[in-house]
Amino acid sequence: MMTSFFDQFASPSYLGAPLIAIAIMLPWVLYPTPSLRWINNRLTTIQGWSINQFTSQLMLPLNVGGHKWALLLASLMIFLVTINMLGLLPYTFTPTTQLSLNMGFAVPLWLATVIIGMRNQPTIALGHLLPEGTPIPLIPVLIIIETISLFIRPLALGVRLTANLTAGHLLIQLIATAVFVLMPMMPTVAILTATVLFLLTLLEVAVAMIQAYVFVLLLSLYLQENV
């Protein structure tokens, strides 16, 4: 029984071809393409306003040098939110529950921020490894600790997103299974459990959006330290 709960996180395939590629490309098909007309429809207007508000909020703590990342971070935010939301639909697959995909996003982007810091301001970038005013006997220990914490950052990014989405999907499936089991025996308890399931689903919708925002926000904070 426990094995079937984790089957939803296995990457599906059809005729030997993995369907994760289709799941990754699908979000870009759902959004309307802005036209060259002066007046757009309501959906395109709301989409543009939402992206502008998010981008301005995200770029607020960054200096001018980090604003060139606006398109990349905004696109990543839209991509993660869409995939996380689509994964809550029945008979769907959530690619962001795969640690390999999340690490594939986290490691290159984190490494890019580190390389930018080492290239543009190597003294300040290396200065983060040793806080000012550190006693001399603690210098080697703190350098080792800060170096380890630096390399743990991409792992924390990927694991945080994977763990939150995986836990939410498992909890939804467990409660849904309890509803089907309790319905013939205790209908009243099953209805109460279904109410809890509905509230949990609403919570997971919020988690899907918040975790995507946290992923991009942490990347912007790492970028802020290096630009």
Side-chain angles (χ1 to χ4, degrees):
M1 188 64 179
M2 292 303 296
T3 305
S4 62
F5 287 155
F6 290 93
D7 286 344
Q8 60 177 320
F9 304 113
S11 179
S13 59
Y14 183 72
L15 297 178
L19 299 181
I20 188 173
I22 299 178
I24 292 176
M25 292 186 295
L26 184 61
W28 306 115
V29 182
L30 300 178
Y31 289 96
T33 303
S35 63
L36 298 178
R37 299 176 181 178
W38 286 7
I39 300 178
N40 295 318
N41 55 26
R42 292 183 178 89
L43 182 59
T44 307
T45 303
I46 293 175
Q47 173 183 312
W49 178 83
S50 302
I51 294 175
N52 289 335
Q53 290 295 319
F54 166 73
T55 305
S56 61
Q57 184 70 26
L58 192 64
M59 295 292 109
L60 191 61
L62 296 176
N63 55 22
V64 179
H67 289 181
K68 63 182 68 175
W69 282 61
L71 178 60
L72 176 62
L73 294 179
S75 301
L76 181 61
M77 171 71 180
I78 296 172
F79 176 76
L80 292 177
V81 167
T82 309
I83 281 187
N84 293 347
M85 298 292 287
L86 290 176
L88 294 174
L89 297 176
Y91 303 104
T92 56
F93 170 68
T94 312
T96 44
T97 56
Q98 305 294 312
L99 184 60
S100 57
L101 177 68
N102 296 332
M103 293 301 294
F105 282 122
V107 173
L109 293 174
W110 164 82
L111 187 60
T113 61
V114 174
I115 292 175
I116 288 175
M118 292 296 182
R119 186 185 64 179
N120 296 338
Q121 44 184 18
T123 304
I124 299 178
L126 293 176
H128 291 301
L129 301 179
L130 184 62
E132 186 178 357
T134 303
I136 296 179
L138 296 179
I139 289 179
V141 178
L142 281 180
I143 290 178
I144 294 174
I145 293 175
E146 292 296 330
T147 304
I148 294 174
S149 66
L150 178 65
F151 284 97
I152 284 179
R153 285 181 174 182
L155 182 62
L157 279 175
V159 170
R160 179 186 291 106
L161 183 58
T162 304
N164 281 281
L165 295 179
T166 303
H169 283 64
L170 276 177
L171 195 55
I172 288 176
Q173 186 168 358
L174 285 171
I175 297 179
T177 304
V179 172
F180 282 107
V181 172
L182 293 174
M183 186 62 71
M185 298 181 296
M186 294 179 288
T188 305
V189 178
I191 293 174
L192 293 176
T193 308
T195 305
V196 174
L197 178 61
F198 175 74
L199 296 176
L200 179 63
T201 304
L202 296 180
L203 178 62
E204 283 303 310
V205 171
V207 169
M209 295 185 289
I210 291 173
Q211 288 304 316
Y213 177 73
V214 169
F215 189 92
V216 178
L217 180 63
L218 289 177
L219 278 176
S220 67
L221 293 179
Y222 299 158
L223 180 64
Q224 179 185 355
E225 296 180 358
N226 294 283
V227 294

